[in-house]
Amino acid sequence: MLVDLDIDTIAEATQLEIDAGTDPQTIMKALTDGMNEVGSRYEEGEYFLTELVLAGETMKEAFAVLKPHLSAEEKGGKKPVVIATVKGDNHDIGKNILGTMLMSAGFEVVDLGIDVSKEDIVESVKKHGAKVVALSCLLTMTIKEITLVNDALKDAGLRDTVKLIVGGAPLNMQLAKELGADDYGADAIDGVKRIGALLEG
Ligand code: B12
């Protein structure tokens, strides 16, 4: 349905799957696979920007229904994780999935949204006493923001107490380290595991 850009009925279909007892993680995987297929079609010139926008909106419709079913009760005792999409980047589907997965794993999440400045990230870390900052970056031209956030955390005297993890299509572990991050997550599931380890280590 995502690939067909079926925005009017995807919410209803998602609800039907939930009512039928389908594992919410399975539904999420189907949606992510669908989005990846949209991405491939765009890259191959079969889909254009209009389809991309509509696919993003279609994903949001389904995700709104799915989200409450992914969130488990708060386990508590964990320091919040600040998540954001870097400045200049408006892609939020991957970040939102990471946020929901973190919540469903019992983490407290402070989601600063998209196009977030380094100043807002530093302020939020201070305000919430966060021990992990997780940044999403989908655009090659905005990866430099990761270094800027790293430097801003250093300048604020926070870098020794806060870990920085990044994710998104243009990144990999080596690049993440070069940009100043402590870790890189290939997908939301990997990210949740790594954030758990960063909070413990
Ligand atoms: C949907 C989409 C859009 C939608 C975004 C809707 C939204 N609300 O997010 C719209 C249409 C708005 C859009 C706009 C643009 N887009 Co766009 N978009 C995509 C597309 C097709 C899919 C991205 C997506 O949501 N994937 C699904 C999610 C689930 O995957 P994900 O984001 O990668 O996240 C997963 C992992 O990466 C990881 N992850 C992500 N973040 C993090 C963070 C952490 C900490 C961790 C651990 C893990 C993690 O976990 C997630 C789940 O497993 C990609 C192509 C692609 N194949 O990726 C292009 C793509 C990212 N877009 C691209 C471009 C160029 C643009 C525009 C500049 C187009 C334009 N000319 O205007 C604008 C940018 C505007 C801006 N300032 O941001 C390029 C980027 C090229 C580059 N390397 O720089 C891509 C790669 C398409 C292409 N091949 O050209 N886009």
Side-chain angles (χ1 to χ4, degrees):
M1 292 184 84
L2 198 70
V3 177
D4 289 342
L5 311 170
D6 210 339
I7 193 164
D8 293 330
T9 42
I10 198 162
E12 194 187 324
T14 307
Q15 188 62 54
L16 280 174
E17 284 294 337
I18 288 164
D19 294 345
T22 306
D23 180 3
Q25 303 284 359
T26 307
I27 305 174
M28 173 109 98
K29 171 130 194 349
L31 292 169
T32 308
D33 288 349
M35 199 47 147
N36 286 336
E37 175 60 25
V38 171
S40 306
R41 291 191 186 192
Y42 179 70
E43 278 157 20
E44 283 155 20
E46 195 185 326
Y47 275 3
F48 298 95
L49 203 54
T50 321
E51 280 85 7
L52 283 194
V53 176
L54 201 50
E57 293 305 311
T58 306
M59 179 86 169
K60 281 185 184 172
E61 287 285 319
F63 200 58
V65 176
L66 190 58
K67 198 174 170 179
H69 301 275
L70 289 165
S71 321
E73 311 93 71
E74 197 87 10
K75 285 182 194 130
K78 284 182 176 159
K79 292 283 183 188
V81 179
V82 168
I83 67 170
T85 300
V86 296
K87 180 133 197 71
D89 190 343
N90 294 337
H91 293 85
D92 67 356
I93 297 168
K95 170 189 68 63
N96 293 346
I97 292 175
L98 177 71
T100 305
M101 302 278 273
L102 282 169
M103 282 189 263
S104 74
F107 294 91
E108 194 190 321
V109 175
V110 179
D111 186 347
L112 300 180
I114 54 170
D115 187 23
V116 182
S117 70
K118 57 184 195 292
E119 291 83 5
D120 285 351
I121 292 168
V122 167
E123 197 187 307
S124 181
V125 168
K126 278 191 196 156
K127 185 174 166 200
H128 299 282
K131 294 284 171 250
V132 174
V133 171
L135 296 180
S136 184
C137 175
L138 271 280
L139 298 172
T140 310
M141 78 181 181
T142 58
I143 55 176
K144 63 179 186 309
E145 285 297 322
I146 293 167
T147 307
L148 297 180
V149 171
N150 181 42
D151 291 347
L153 288 168
K154 268 191 205 159
D155 292 347
L158 294 165
R159 195 60 182 91
D160 291 339
T161 52
V162 73
K163 299 284 187 192
L164 185 58
I165 180 169
V166 296
L171 301 168
N172 56 51
M173 184 64 85
Q174 193 192 339
L175 189 53
K177 296 263 163 98
E178 282 169 17
L179 295 164
D182 299 297
D183 210 347
Y184 159 80
D187 57 39
I189 294 167
D190 187 34
V192 171
K193 273 192 218 142
R194 287 175 182 276
I195 288 167
L198 288 174
L199 279 167
E200 273 160 29

mmCIF file of all heavy atoms in Angstrom, residues 145-185:
data_model
loop_
_atom_site.group_PDB
_atom_site.id
_atom_site.type_symbol
_atom_site.label_atom_id
_atom_site.label_comp_id
_atom_site.label_asym_id
_atom_site.label_seq_id
_atom_site.Cartn_x
_atom_site.Cartn_y
_atom_site.Cartn_z
ATOM 1 N N GLU A 145 26.995 18.817 9.897
ATOM 2 C CA GLU A 145 26.298 19.225 11.130
ATOM 3 C C GLU A 145 26.674 18.342 12.317
ATOM 4 O O GLU A 145 26.636 18.782 13.466
ATOM 5 C CB GLU A 145 24.780 19.178 10.922
ATOM 6 C CG GLU A 145 24.233 20.316 10.099
ATOM 7 C CD GLU A 145 24.446 21.683 10.749
ATOM 8 O OE1 GLU A 145 24.339 21.789 11.985
ATOM 9 O OE2 GLU A 145 24.738 22.631 9.993
ATOM 10 N N ILE A 146 27.013 17.090 12.023
ATOM 11 C CA ILE A 146 27.378 16.162 13.109
ATOM 12 C C ILE A 146 28.627 16.683 13.833
ATOM 13 O O ILE A 146 28.673 16.727 15.068
ATOM 14 C CB ILE A 146 27.588 14.743 12.545
ATOM 15 C CG1 ILE A 146 26.240 14.206 12.051
ATOM 16 C CG2 ILE A 146 28.213 13.808 13.593
ATOM 17 C CD1 ILE A 146 26.337 12.961 11.198
ATOM 18 N N THR A 147 29.620 17.131 13.055
ATOM 19 C CA THR A 147 30.839 17.697 13.640
ATOM 20 C C THR A 147 30.506 18.969 14.423
ATOM 21 O O THR A 147 31.042 19.202 15.504
ATOM 22 C CB THR A 147 31.860 18.024 12.520
ATOM 23 O OG1 THR A 147 32.045 16.847 11.742
ATOM 24 C CG2 THR A 147 33.183 18.460 13.090
ATOM 25 N N LEU A 148 29.585 19.762 13.886
ATOM 26 C CA LEU A 148 29.228 21.012 14.570
ATOM 27 C C LEU A 148 28.551 20.725 15.916
ATOM 28 O O LEU A 148 28.816 21.406 16.906
ATOM 29 C CB LEU A 148 28.315 21.875 13.674
ATOM 30 C CG LEU A 148 28.939 22.358 12.357
ATOM 31 C CD1 LEU A 148 27.948 23.196 11.553
ATOM 32 C CD2 LEU A 148 30.217 23.180 12.617
ATOM 33 N N VAL A 149 27.706 19.692 15.939
ATOM 34 C CA VAL A 149 27.047 19.322 17.206
ATOM 35 C C VAL A 149 28.098 18.791 18.185
ATOM 36 O O VAL A 149 28.104 19.165 19.367
ATOM 37 C CB VAL A 149 25.933 18.261 16.978
ATOM 38 C CG1 VAL A 149 25.417 17.714 18.297
ATOM 39 C CG2 VAL A 149 24.794 18.859 16.161
ATOM 40 N N ASN A 150 29.006 17.958 17.679
ATOM 41 C CA ASN A 150 30.087 17.426 18.518
ATOM 42 C C ASN A 150 30.875 18.582 19.139
ATOM 43 O O ASN A 150 31.116 18.602 20.353
ATOM 44 C CB ASN A 150 30.995 16.544 17.655
ATOM 45 C CG ASN A 150 32.131 15.930 18.435
ATOM 46 O OD1 ASN A 150 31.946 15.469 19.557
ATOM 47 N ND2 ASN A 150 33.322 15.938 17.867
ATOM 48 N N ASP A 151 31.248 19.565 18.321
ATOM 49 C CA ASP A 151 32.030 20.711 18.819
ATOM 50 C C ASP A 151 31.222 21.540 19.820
ATOM 51 O O ASP A 151 31.763 21.998 20.823
ATOM 52 C CB ASP A 151 32.464 21.605 17.639
ATOM 53 C CG ASP A 151 33.500 20.906 16.761
ATOM 54 O OD1 ASP A 151 34.049 19.869 17.196
ATOM 55 O OD2 ASP A 151 33.738 21.384 15.636
ATOM 56 N N ALA A 152 29.932 21.709 19.532
ATOM 57 C CA ALA A 152 29.096 22.513 20.437
ATOM 58 C C ALA A 152 28.962 21.830 21.799
ATOM 59 O O ALA A 152 28.962 22.495 22.839
ATOM 60 C CB ALA A 152 27.713 22.731 19.809
ATOM 61 N N LEU A 153 28.860 20.499 21.784
ATOM 62 C CA LEU A 153 28.776 19.764 23.055
ATOM 63 C C LEU A 153 30.094 19.909 23.827
ATOM 64 O O LEU A 153 30.098 20.074 25.049
ATOM 65 C CB LEU A 153 28.455 18.283 22.806
ATOM 66 C CG LEU A 153 27.034 17.973 22.349
ATOM 67 C CD1 LEU A 153 26.931 16.538 21.847
ATOM 68 C CD2 LEU A 153 26.019 18.213 23.471
ATOM 69 N N LYS A 154 31.204 19.865 23.090
ATOM 70 C CA LYS A 154 32.529 20.059 23.716
ATOM 71 C C LYS A 154 32.612 21.447 24.333
ATOM 72 O O LYS A 154 32.996 21.600 25.501
ATOM 73 C CB LYS A 154 33.625 19.943 22.647
ATOM 74 C CG LYS A 154 34.181 18.557 22.478
ATOM 75 C CD LYS A 154 35.430 18.638 21.594
ATOM 76 C CE LYS A 154 35.664 17.319 20.897
ATOM 77 N NZ LYS A 154 36.494 17.441 19.700
ATOM 78 N N ASP A 155 32.237 22.464 23.548
ATOM 79 C CA ASP A 155 32.324 23.852 24.020
ATOM 80 C C ASP A 155 31.469 24.081 25.255
ATOM 81 O O ASP A 155 31.784 24.912 26.097
ATOM 82 C CB ASP A 155 31.879 24.831 22.907
ATOM 83 C CG ASP A 155 32.875 24.850 21.741
ATOM 84 O OD1 ASP A 155 33.988 24.316 21.919
ATOM 85 O OD2 ASP A 155 32.514 25.377 20.673
ATOM 86 N N ALA A 156 30.374 23.333 25.358
ATOM 87 C CA ALA A 156 29.476 23.495 26.513
ATOM 88 C C ALA A 156 29.950 22.639 27.697
ATOM 89 O O ALA A 156 29.294 22.608 28.748
ATOM 90 C CB ALA A 156 28.056 23.107 26.111
ATOM 91 N N GLY A 157 31.079 21.945 27.521
ATOM 92 C CA GLY A 157 31.625 21.121 28.602
ATOM 93 C C GLY A 157 30.822 19.855 28.854
ATOM 94 O O GLY A 157 30.894 19.262 29.930
ATOM 95 N N LEU A 158 30.040 19.422 27.841
ATOM 96 C CA LEU A 158 29.145 18.270 28.032
ATOM 97 C C LEU A 158 29.662 16.987 27.381
ATOM 98 O O LEU A 158 29.141 15.901 27.629
ATOM 99 C CB LEU A 158 27.763 18.581 27.428
ATOM 100 C CG LEU A 158 26.957 19.696 28.085
ATOM 101 C CD1 LEU A 158 25.816 20.118 27.156
ATOM 102 C CD2 LEU A 158 26.409 19.245 29.430
ATOM 103 N N ARG A 159 30.676 17.119 26.552
ATOM 104 C CA ARG A 159 31.040 15.983 25.697
ATOM 105 C C ARG A 159 31.541 14.769 26.473
ATOM 106 O O ARG A 159 31.417 13.640 26.008
ATOM 107 C CB ARG A 159 32.082 16.438 24.661
ATOM 108 C CG ARG A 159 32.286 15.487 23.517
ATOM 109 C CD ARG A 159 31.009 15.253 22.729
ATOM 110 N NE ARG A 159 31.210 14.292 21.661
ATOM 111 C CZ ARG A 159 31.019 12.984 21.788
ATOM 112 N NH1 ARG A 159 30.625 12.483 22.944
ATOM 113 N NH2 ARG A 159 31.210 12.173 20.769
ATOM 114 N N ASP A 160 32.116 15.001 27.675
ATOM 115 C CA ASP A 160 32.617 13.862 28.457
ATOM 116 C C ASP A 160 31.494 13.042 29.067
ATOM 117 O O ASP A 160 31.686 11.892 29.441
ATOM 118 C CB ASP A 160 33.539 14.350 29.589
ATOM 119 C CG ASP A 160 34.832 14.916 29.016
ATOM 120 O OD1 ASP A 160 35.163 14.562 27.866
ATOM 121 O OD2 ASP A 160 35.483 15.713 29.714
ATOM 122 N N THR A 161 30.315 13.647 29.186
ATOM 123 C CA THR A 161 29.224 12.933 29.862
ATOM 124 C C THR A 161 28.111 12.523 28.906
ATOM 125 O O THR A 161 27.145 11.880 29.319
ATOM 126 C CB THR A 161 28.613 13.805 30.984
ATOM 127 O OG1 THR A 161 28.272 15.074 30.425
ATOM 128 C CG2 THR A 161 29.583 13.988 32.140
ATOM 129 N N VAL A 162 28.233 12.914 27.650
ATOM 130 C CA VAL A 162 27.180 12.558 26.700
ATOM 131 C C VAL A 162 27.777 11.816 25.503
ATOM 132 O O VAL A 162 28.843 12.171 25.011
ATOM 133 C CB VAL A 162 26.353 13.811 26.280
ATOM 134 C CG1 VAL A 162 27.121 14.710 25.347
ATOM 135 C CG2 VAL A 162 25.037 13.427 25.648
ATOM 136 N N LYS A 163 27.095 10.735 25.095
ATOM 137 C CA LYS A 163 27.547 9.964 23.931
ATOM 138 C C LYS A 163 26.762 10.412 22.703
ATOM 139 O O LYS A 163 25.573 10.740 22.794
ATOM 140 C CB LYS A 163 27.300 8.467 24.159
ATOM 141 C CG LYS A 163 28.038 7.900 25.357
ATOM 142 C CD LYS A 163 29.507 7.700 25.058
ATOM 143 C CE LYS A 163 30.182 6.985 26.207
ATOM 144 N NZ LYS A 163 31.635 7.028 26.085
ATOM 145 N N LEU A 164 27.444 10.364 21.558
ATOM 146 C CA LEU A 164 26.824 10.793 20.301
ATOM 147 C C LEU A 164 26.743 9.615 19.342
ATOM 148 O O LEU A 164 27.774 9.030 18.995
ATOM 149 C CB LEU A 164 27.679 11.927 19.708
ATOM 150 C CG LEU A 164 27.186 12.629 18.455
ATOM 151 C CD1 LEU A 164 25.810 13.246 18.667
ATOM 152 C CD2 LEU A 164 28.186 13.736 18.064
ATOM 153 N N ILE A 165 25.531 9.275 18.940
ATOM 154 C CA ILE A 165 25.336 8.203 17.948
ATOM 155 C C ILE A 165 24.591 8.791 16.758
ATOM 156 O O ILE A 165 23.717 9.649 16.926
ATOM 157 C CB ILE A 165 24.605 6.972 18.548
ATOM 158 C CG1 ILE A 165 24.413 5.882 17.470
ATOM 159 C CG2 ILE A 165 23.283 7.337 19.194
ATOM 160 C CD1 ILE A 165 23.945 4.541 18.011
ATOM 161 N N VAL A 166 24.961 8.340 15.569
ATOM 162 C CA VAL A 166 24.342 8.883 14.362
ATOM 163 C C VAL A 166 23.857 7.760 13.449
ATOM 164 O O VAL A 166 24.308 6.619 13.556
ATOM 165 C CB VAL A 166 25.333 9.796 13.588
ATOM 166 C CG1 VAL A 166 25.706 11.002 14.419
ATOM 167 C CG2 VAL A 166 26.588 9.030 13.161
ATOM 168 N N GLY A 167 22.937 8.124 12.558
ATOM 169 C CA GLY A 167 22.447 7.158 11.585
ATOM 170 C C GLY A 167 21.834 7.868 10.396
ATOM 171 O O GLY A 167 21.574 9.074 10.445
ATOM 172 N N GLY A 168 21.616 7.115 9.327
ATOM 173 C CA GLY A 168 21.066 7.689 8.098
ATOM 174 C C GLY A 168 21.866 7.205 6.904
ATOM 175 O O GLY A 168 23.033 6.821 7.041
ATOM 176 N N ALA A 169 21.216 7.220 5.750
ATOM 177 C CA ALA A 169 21.778 6.613 4.541
ATOM 178 C C ALA A 169 23.202 7.035 4.147
ATOM 179 O O ALA A 169 23.984 6.186 3.742
ATOM 180 C CB ALA A 169 20.813 6.820 3.376
ATOM 181 N N PRO A 170 23.576 8.336 4.249
ATOM 182 C CA PRO A 170 24.921 8.678 3.757
ATOM 183 C C PRO A 170 26.049 8.307 4.724
ATOM 184 O O PRO A 170 27.217 8.537 4.417
ATOM 185 C CB PRO A 170 24.859 10.203 3.585
ATOM 186 C CG PRO A 170 23.791 10.662 4.475
ATOM 187 C CD PRO A 170 22.830 9.528 4.690
ATOM 188 N N LEU A 171 25.720 7.733 5.883
ATOM 189 C CA LEU A 171 26.733 7.497 6.914
ATOM 190 C C LEU A 171 27.150 6.037 7.007
ATOM 191 O O LEU A 171 26.453 5.138 6.537
ATOM 192 C CB LEU A 171 26.181 7.957 8.272
ATOM 193 C CG LEU A 171 25.786 9.437 8.349
ATOM 194 C CD1 LEU A 171 25.002 9.699 9.616
ATOM 195 C CD2 LEU A 171 27.006 10.329 8.281
ATOM 196 N N ASN A 172 28.270 5.818 7.637
ATOM 197 C CA ASN A 172 28.728 4.477 8.017
ATOM 198 C C ASN A 172 29.582 4.661 9.272
ATOM 199 O O ASN A 172 29.825 5.795 9.685
ATOM 200 C CB ASN A 172 29.504 3.808 6.888
ATOM 201 C CG ASN A 172 30.671 4.661 6.426
ATOM 202 O OD1 ASN A 172 31.485 5.123 7.234
ATOM 203 N ND2 ASN A 172 30.760 4.901 5.130
ATOM 204 N N MET A 173 30.053 3.542 9.832
ATOM 205 C CA MET A 173 30.778 3.634 11.100
ATOM 206 C C MET A 173 32.034 4.491 10.978
ATOM 207 O O MET A 173 32.287 5.357 11.813
ATOM 208 C CB MET A 173 31.120 2.222 11.599
ATOM 209 C CG MET A 173 31.777 2.195 12.949
ATOM 210 S SD MET A 173 30.716 2.815 14.281
ATOM 211 C CE MET A 173 29.793 1.321 14.694
ATOM 212 N N GLN A 174 32.782 4.263 9.911
ATOM 213 C CA GLN A 174 34.049 4.988 9.763
ATOM 214 C C GLN A 174 33.817 6.501 9.659
ATOM 215 O O GLN A 174 34.449 7.299 10.350
ATOM 216 C CB GLN A 174 34.779 4.482 8.521
ATOM 217 C CG GLN A 174 36.223 4.961 8.475
ATOM 218 C CD GLN A 174 36.859 4.710 7.117
ATOM 219 O OE1 GLN A 174 36.392 3.874 6.350
ATOM 220 N NE2 GLN A 174 37.905 5.440 6.817
ATOM 221 N N LEU A 175 32.843 6.863 8.819
ATOM 222 C CA LEU A 175 32.527 8.282 8.627
ATOM 223 C C LEU A 175 32.014 8.882 9.932
ATOM 224 O O LEU A 175 32.401 9.999 10.315
ATOM 225 C CB LEU A 175 31.475 8.402 7.513
ATOM 226 C CG LEU A 175 31.135 9.797 6.998
ATOM 227 C CD1 LEU A 175 32.387 10.554 6.586
ATOM 228 C CD2 LEU A 175 30.177 9.676 5.808
ATOM 229 N N ALA A 176 31.170 8.139 10.626
ATOM 230 C CA ALA A 176 30.616 8.620 11.898
ATOM 231 C C ALA A 176 31.744 8.972 12.866
ATOM 232 O O ALA A 176 31.734 10.041 13.475
ATOM 233 C CB ALA A 176 29.698 7.560 12.499
ATOM 234 N N LYS A 177 32.721 8.086 12.950
ATOM 235 C CA LYS A 177 33.857 8.320 13.865
ATOM 236 C C LYS A 177 34.665 9.539 13.406
ATOM 237 O O LYS A 177 35.078 10.358 14.217
ATOM 238 C CB LYS A 177 34.756 7.076 13.927
ATOM 239 C CG LYS A 177 34.044 5.849 14.524
ATOM 240 C CD LYS A 177 34.356 5.685 15.997
ATOM 241 C CE LYS A 177 33.398 4.766 16.707
ATOM 242 N NZ LYS A 177 33.840 3.400 16.893
ATOM 243 N N GLU A 178 34.873 9.643 12.091
ATOM 244 C CA GLU A 178 35.630 10.785 11.566
ATOM 245 C C GLU A 178 34.929 12.111 11.863
ATOM 246 O O GLU A 178 35.566 13.135 12.067
ATOM 247 C CB GLU A 178 35.805 10.650 10.044
ATOM 248 C CG GLU A 178 36.887 9.652 9.656
ATOM 249 C CD GLU A 178 36.878 9.313 8.167
ATOM 250 O OE1 GLU A 178 36.272 10.063 7.372
ATOM 251 O OE2 GLU A 178 37.459 8.266 7.814
ATOM 252 N N LEU A 179 33.611 12.064 11.896
ATOM 253 C CA LEU A 179 32.838 13.284 12.140
ATOM 254 C C LEU A 179 32.757 13.624 13.631
ATOM 255 O O LEU A 179 32.255 14.679 14.002
ATOM 256 C CB LEU A 179 31.416 13.125 11.575
ATOM 257 C CG LEU A 179 31.310 12.983 10.050
ATOM 258 C CD1 LEU A 179 29.955 12.444 9.645
ATOM 259 C CD2 LEU A 179 31.570 14.330 9.372
ATOM 260 N N GLY A 180 33.228 12.714 14.461
ATOM 261 C CA GLY A 180 33.261 12.990 15.898
ATOM 262 C C GLY A 180 32.248 12.218 16.723
ATOM 263 O O GLY A 180 32.163 12.406 17.940
ATOM 264 N N ALA A 181 31.453 11.356 16.076
ATOM 265 C CA ALA A 181 30.464 10.579 16.836
ATOM 266 C C ALA A 181 31.135 9.383 17.519
ATOM 267 O O ALA A 181 32.227 8.966 17.124
ATOM 268 C CB ALA A 181 29.363 10.094 15.899
ATOM 269 N N ASP A 182 30.464 8.850 18.542
ATOM 270 C CA ASP A 182 30.980 7.663 19.231
ATOM 271 C C ASP A 182 30.533 6.384 18.545
ATOM 272 O O ASP A 182 31.185 5.351 18.656
ATOM 273 C CB ASP A 182 30.454 7.619 20.683
ATOM 274 C CG ASP A 182 30.919 8.832 21.463
ATOM 275 O OD1 ASP A 182 32.135 8.973 21.635
ATOM 276 O OD2 ASP A 182 30.065 9.642 21.865
ATOM 277 N N ASP A 183 29.385 6.453 17.864
ATOM 278 C CA ASP A 183 28.822 5.216 17.336
ATOM 279 C C ASP A 183 27.908 5.516 16.153
ATOM 280 O O ASP A 183 27.497 6.662 15.931
ATOM 281 C CB ASP A 183 28.023 4.507 18.450
ATOM 282 C CG ASP A 183 28.016 2.993 18.285
ATOM 283 O OD1 ASP A 183 28.408 2.502 17.213
ATOM 284 O OD2 ASP A 183 27.593 2.304 19.228
ATOM 285 N N TYR A 184 27.602 4.449 15.413
ATOM 286 C CA TYR A 184 26.721 4.545 14.239
ATOM 287 C C TYR A 184 25.758 3.361 14.266
ATOM 288 O O TYR A 184 26.170 2.235 14.589
ATOM 289 C CB TYR A 184 27.583 4.510 12.968
ATOM 290 C CG TYR A 184 26.836 4.095 11.722
ATOM 291 C CD1 TYR A 184 26.040 5.005 11.034
ATOM 292 C CD2 TYR A 184 26.906 2.776 11.254
ATOM 293 C CE1 TYR A 184 25.338 4.608 9.897
ATOM 294 C CE2 TYR A 184 26.209 2.385 10.111
ATOM 295 C CZ TYR A 184 25.430 3.303 9.446
ATOM 296 O OH TYR A 184 24.739 2.918 8.333
ATOM 297 N N GLY A 185 24.500 3.619 13.945
ATOM 298 C CA GLY A 185 23.524 2.532 13.871
ATOM 299 C C GLY A 185 22.991 2.412 12.461
ATOM 300 O O GLY A 185 22.541 3.403 11.870
#
